[in-house]
Amino acid sequence: MKIAVAGAGYVGLVTAACLAELGNEVICVDIDEDKISSLNGGIIPIYEPGLEELAIRNKNRHRLAFSTDLRRAIKESDIVFICVGTPPKENGEADLSHVENVARTIAEVMDSYKVIVEKSTVPVETGDMVAKSIKAYNVHKADFDVVSNPEFLREGSAVSDFMHPDRIVIGSGSEKAVKIMQELYMPLNVPIIFTDIKSAEIIKHASNSFLAAKISFINAIANICELAGADVEKVAEGMGLDKRIGRHFLNAGIGYGGFCFPKDAEAFIRISEKLGYDFKLLKAVQETNFAQRKLFVRKIEKALWVVKGKAIGVLGLAFKPDTDDMRFAPSISIINDLQGEGAEIKAYDPKAMQKAKEVLKGVEYCSSPYDAAKDSDALVIVTEWNEFKEMDLKKIKSLMKHPLIVDGRNIYNPDLMKKEGFTYISIGRKDVV
Ligand code: UDX
């Protein structure tokens, strides 16, 4: 099939490359000329495992093209995927101006039947608004259908999530569009749920909010475990064995970050409010999440006693491992708070340092975890990269001024840390002192 993908961000690039890999002819479009010329030169602007290889392979096979010409891409396609950004406005609502722009362009250009697929995360009723807007500006009076097909891609495993999803959600009121979408996704051979547009839109919001709630729930339990002298890792294991609960997304830590969960939860709170429902539960999920970072800073302060003038090595800056994404990364507020108290920060991240330099100033960026540990009064684990799990702890200890590790991701075994002679503070477990 011939496909236009509007937006060359995380979602757009992955969608375009994967749909090309499935044998379709795809044009991926963005208004950012620099980005498109880099993509045409084989440079992928984001770090996403497997994406570069997939994009280059399909570009060389002439199944994937990058362009700034949205009008041509729409004209030449059977399906148009809307994958443009929906960034948060000041009040937490999603800004839909990019989605509207694409809808208007589709309406002006389209001269034959098109399926318009909304893939960006949008508030419920956006699908209807897109349809209304296209109808209003439909210059050639062409036939079209709108489909909601939300993405559930995780950064760091987006390609594999696209190719092997747990489910595909297709929301549409048109049998013709459903058939086309079914055919498109047939090669993936995974469960597809068919529903109306609004339910599909809410499935996305409800899924992300539920996962965010799981994280805040286990973080709240971690705080109770600390007060009671219990071990949250064991508690999560015991809870997770119940099939109704499941072990995934029960890792206690410093709370969720990234471009999706904080933004989408905020947007869902606003959407519910507009519909007339006060989503107190989700508000508490967000509050618990942001409080968790502050609690972590308190732990560091308590362990150091006086923070001013102390050298703190920070391991991990990206909001999670296997990505270079710094958007809404907990590391930002944690480092800012510690700097505010007068700490000197030495930081290391395997992939995110370039992006971190744009948002975190006054930090000494190090070339390895050992470099960050050297002469530090404390080492703080913020992101659970595998590299940190495999460090030579004896070497780390010998390099540090004082063998103190404050671990926001519970990557080490407290008994081992005791044996190695560290003061080890983690989340929801007894301190090793
Ligand atoms: C998420 C959703 O998983 C994905 O379906 C959606 O389309 C986009 O948002 P992503 O933001 O890439 O994906 O990251 P994810 O792996 O879900 O992690 C989100 C945050 O939760 C990270 O900050 C992570 O560190 C944190 N997290 C996750 C925990 O603190 N504990 C956990 O148990 C799991």
Side-chain angles (χ1 to χ4, degrees):
M1 277 185 245
K2 291 191 167 185
I3 296 168
V5 174
Y10 267 101
V11 178
L13 278 178
V14 173
T15 302
C18 291
L19 287 175
E21 180 72 9
L22 295 181
N24 301 287
E25 259 179 67
V26 185
I27 308 179
C28 183
V29 183
D30 204 284
I31 46 170
D32 185 337
E33 288 181 12
D34 291 342
K35 192 186 259 184
I36 293 300
S37 68
S38 298
L39 285 164
N40 275 324
I43 298 165
I44 307 297
I46 50 171
Y47 170 72
E48 190 60 47
L51 180 61
E52 188 172 88
E53 191 196 329
L54 210 64
I56 292 173
R57 183 166 66 230
N58 284 285
K59 196 173 161 292
N60 292 342
R61 285 180 185 161
H62 305 289
R63 290 205 300 231
L64 177 61
F66 298 103
S67 167
T68 51
D69 190 349
L70 181 60
R71 304 175 83 87
R72 207 198 85 211
I74 294 167
K75 253 192 160 139
E76 291 177 5
S77 305
D78 311 308
I79 308 177
V80 183
F81 276 83
I82 304 182
C83 298
V84 292
T86 53
K89 294 195 278 194
E90 285 268 298
N91 64 359
E93 276 179 26
D95 176 354
L96 297 176
S97 52
H98 302 303
V99 175
E100 198 205 17
N101 276 342
V102 175
R104 287 220 188 172
T105 311
I106 294 171
E108 283 165 19
V109 173
M110 166 177 82
D111 53 8
S112 60
Y113 176 76
K114 310 268 176 219
V115 180
I116 319 296
V117 185
E118 161 198 286
K119 209 161 188 52
S120 309
T121 300
V122 291
V124 63
E125 288 172 0
T126 304
D128 286 352
M129 297 310 287
V130 167
K132 256 193 202 153
S133 159
I134 297 181
K135 225 179 235 160
Y137 297 92
N138 193 344
V139 175
H140 306 282
K141 302 279 172 259
D143 197 12
F144 73 96
D145 283 306
V146 172
V147 169
S148 167
N149 168 220
E151 53 85 17
F152 300 98
L153 308 174
R154 288 165 301 175
E155 288 180 25
S157 56
V159 170
S160 138
D161 286 348
F162 190 101
M163 292 301 197
H164 312 283
D166 290 340
R167 80 313 205 174
I168 288 169
V169 175
I170 293 179
S172 173
S174 148
E175 255 180 55
K176 187 173 173 184
V178 163
K179 257 199 183 140
I180 292 173
M181 294 302 289
Q182 210 171 0
E183 200 185 314
L184 180 71
Y185 283 122
M186 187 111 72
L188 294 182
N189 197 20
V190 293
I192 301 184
I193 164 156
F194 299 100
T195 177
D196 57 285
I197 294 185
K198 286 179 191 165
S199 302
E201 289 167 337
I202 290 198
I203 287 172
K204 167 70 195 219
H205 277 294
S207 302
N208 269 6
S209 301
F210 189 79
L211 292 170
K214 266 189 113 173
I215 299 170
S216 279
F217 190 88
I218 200 66
N219 282 333
I221 297 295
N223 297 334
I224 297 168
C225 283
E226 281 176 21
L227 296 168
D231 181 336
V232 73
E233 297 294 321
K234 283 286 162 205
V235 173
E237 199 182 319
M239 287 169 66
L241 283 171
D242 185 327
K243 286 194 188 70
R244 293 168 303 173
I245 299 174
R247 180 63 183 84
H248 295 295
F249 274 73
L250 280 184
N251 296 322
I254 50 176
Y256 55 81
F259 196 55
C260 288
F261 281 176
K263 162 179 84 72
D264 290 356
E266 208 53 48
F268 202 23
I269 289 168
R270 298 289 153 252
I271 292 163
S272 311
E273 225 163 58
K274 271 196 168 169
L275 291 167
Y277 182 73
D278 182 8
F279 204 158
K280 288 197 182 111
L281 183 61
L282 194 51
K283 285 178 184 168
V285 165
Q286 288 272 77
E287 269 167 37
T288 306
N289 187 60
F290 295 118
Q292 198 65 10
R293 296 174 193 180
K294 297 286 174 198
L295 282 175
F296 186 60
V297 173
R298 296 289 96 76
K299 270 178 193 279
I300 301 168
E301 286 166 0
K302 195 173 154 208
L304 282 171
W305 188 34
V306 174
V307 174
K308 194 168 179 203
K310 299 271 165 70
I312 301 179
V314 174
L315 298 188
L317 298 167
F319 84 95
K320 66 173 198 178
D322 295 320
T323 175
D324 63 350
D325 199 343
M326 284 296 296
R327 292 176 299 176
F328 299 97
S331 64
I332 300 172
S333 70
I334 291 168
I335 289 178
N336 285 339
D337 285 356
L338 293 171
Q339 283 176 325
E341 301 247 358
E344 288 162 27
I345 304 293
K346 302 168 79 178
Y348 170 76
D349 187 285
K351 291 276 177 218
M353 288 209 285
Q354 207 179 326
K355 291 197 174 155
K357 284 176 189 165
E358 292 164 22
V359 282
L360 283 166
K361 306 290 174 196
V363 169
E364 183 188 333
Y365 289 95
C366 301
S367 56
S368 71
Y370 303 101
D371 193 14
K374 195 166 182 296
D375 297 327
S376 287
D377 296 280
L379 201 56
V380 169
I381 314 284
V382 173
T383 318
E384 67 278 32
W385 286 91
N386 277 339
E387 186 177 339
F388 307 148
K389 295 179 187 166
E390 291 153 9
M391 285 189 314
D392 177 347
L393 290 170
K394 287 192 173 53
K395 187 171 167 190
I396 291 284
K397 187 173 171 229
S398 71
L399 287 166
M400 292 181 72
K401 214 186 270 173
H402 177 69
L404 164 66
I405 294 189
V406 188
D407 180 359
R409 299 294 187 176
N410 288 356
I411 64 173
Y412 301 118
N413 177 327
D415 293 335
L416 174 77
M417 297 310 272
K418 190 171 192 162
K419 243 185 21 240
E420 295 287 347
F422 282 95
T423 300
Y424 178 63
I425 319 282
S426 54
I427 308 284
R429 304 187 292 186
K430 278 186 202 140
D431 293 347
V432 172
V433 285

